[in-house]
Amino acid sequence: MRAESAGAAGPDGPAGSHGRAGSHGRAGANGAAGSGEPRREPGAGKGRRFQLTRDTARPEGGGRAAPGDAPAPARQWPLLAVMGATGLGLLVVAAGAFRVGTLLIGLAMIGGAVLRWALPSVGMLAVRSRFTDMITYGGLGAAILLLSLMAQPHPWLKVPFLEDILHFTV
């Protein structure tokens, strides 16, 4: 049985201002500083499962990449550059040049990692911490690049141990 429901007539019942047994008196509606209990937000005692996040921190480097009076596309040019190169790669793939298009997509992702490393503010290209963004963009870009170079038929890059792993699993 939880301590909050043991013997309390209500939220302001005899067990204290927050329904806990053994509380040292009531301290007002929000729990004042001398009561021995931490101050709680309204609705915080309903359980850990349904607590609302009030605010989140902006990722490091998540500020504008251009001054605030610049038009919106200019403020987000790093993200637009990566998305534009990726879109161009997808158009090239749709046109029939699979290998060249996927190379463009992989290079766009690696370019996003380089932009995230080199620039202090990259706008909405900053999603997580700088290190996590660089590892994510760079790792995905390198994987796409490697897979496009190894694609069949007539791969441009042959990595023998990866071919052995593929043949072993199939």
Side-chain angles (χ1 to χ4, degrees), residues 19-167:
R20 289 189 179 178
S23 177
H24 299 302
R26 295 173 15 165
N30 291 330
S35 69
E37 290 191 32
R39 184 180 180 122
R40 294 185 179 193
E41 293 291 325
K46 294 182 180 179
R48 294 179 187 205
R49 188 173 190 185
F50 297 107
Q51 289 181 354
L52 297 176
T53 302
R54 300 278 182 216
D55 195 12
T56 57
R58 182 184 303 190
E60 175 189 340
R64 295 178 176 143
D69 57 347
R75 290 192 308 260
Q76 298 298 330
W77 72 266
L79 177 67
L80 292 175
V82 172
M83 288 179 60
T86 302
L88 180 65
L90 290 171
L91 286 174
V92 170
V93 168
F98 170 78
R99 193 178 315 266
V100 174
T102 53
L103 283 172
L104 277 172
I105 294 169
L107 289 173
M109 295 298 286
I110 291 173
V114 169
L115 285 173
R116 189 69 174 99
W117 172 72
L119 297 177
S121 291
V122 290
M124 289 181 4
L125 189 62
V127 178
R128 296 158 293 266
S129 70
R130 186 178 304 267
F131 177 77
T132 305
D133 281 344
M134 287 176 9
I135 295 299
T136 304
Y137 294 145
L140 288 174
I144 292 170
L145 206 64
L146 183 68
L147 290 172
S148 67
L149 291 174
M150 293 177 59
Q152 298 289 334
H154 312 294
W156 292 357
L157 176 68
K158 292 186 179 187
V159 181
F161 73 89
L162 289 178
E163 289 179 9
D164 293 340
I165 290 172
L166 177 66
H167 291 295

